[in-house]
Amino acid sequence: QVEVVESGGGSVQAGGSLRLSCTTDAYTYKYNCMGWFRQAPGKEREAVASIYTGGPAGGGPYYADYVKGRFTASQDNAKNTVYLQMNNLKPEDTAMYYCAVRAAGGCYSTIAAPDFTHWGQGTQVTVSS
C-alpha cells in the first residue's frame, strides 16, 4: 500500500512562512508528479502546486495563480521528499494541505486532483491576521 505523508503545518501570523514536507516510498516517488492541494472548511479542494521528481523535462513546477510568487515547490530526491515553501502567508491560505502522487509520469500545467492517485492525510496550516 502506498503511503504519502505530509508534515510541517502549523499556525503563523500573516506575513509569516512555513515549509511543508511530503515523503513517500522510493518506488512511488521516482519519476512521478507530486502535487500539493488544499481545502478550507466549506470550500472545495483546490490545486496549489506540482513538481516532477524526474527533473524539469517532465514539466513544472507549476503553481496556482493565487500562490505564484509566494510559494515554491522543491525536491530532495535523496530523501524521496518534496517541499512546499510558503512565504508571505495570508489568512486566506488557511486550509488543510494535502500532498498527492500522480503515478503516471510528468506533470501537466493544469493541476487537477482527479489525475492524482495516492493522497496523504493532510497537514493543517492556519494563518491569523
Side-chain angles (χ1 to χ4, degrees):
Q1 184 173 347
V2 175
E3 187 176 27
V4 179
V5 180
E6 308 96 335
S7 62
S11 297
V12 296
Q13 290 189 329
S17 298
L18 285 172
R19 188 178 78 158
L20 306 183
S21 301
C22 172
T23 189
T24 186
D25 62 273
Y27 179 80
T28 301
Y29 178 89
K30 195 174 182 180
Y31 301 126
N32 280 322
C33 182
M34 305 287 286
W36 289 99
F37 297 82
R38 68 187 186 186
Q39 187 167 19
K43 295 187 177 181
E44 294 187 353
R45 186 172 296 186
E46 60 183 12
V48 175
S50 65
I51 185 168
Y52 178 60
T53 61
Y62 298 109
Y63 300 94
D65 288 343
Y66 34 83
V67 304
K68 279 182 182 177
R70 301 188 297 122
F71 290 13
T72 303
S74 62
Q75 62 197 90
D76 185 339
N77 290 349
K79 296 181 179 180
N80 302 327
T81 299
V82 296
Y83 303 97
L84 185 68
Q85 178 67 44
M86 306 185 296
N87 297 329
N88 190 22
L89 282 161
K90 304 175 181 180
E92 51 263 43
D93 294 318
T94 295
M96 185 71 78
Y97 283 70
Y98 297 91
C99 179
V101 180
R102 179 179 179 270
C107 294
Y108 297 137
S109 58
T110 299
I111 311 167
D115 290 339
F116 290 79
T117 51
H118 307 297
W119 291 78
Q121 294 300 306
T123 186
Q124 178 68 37
V125 171
T126 302
V127 185
S128 58
S129 58

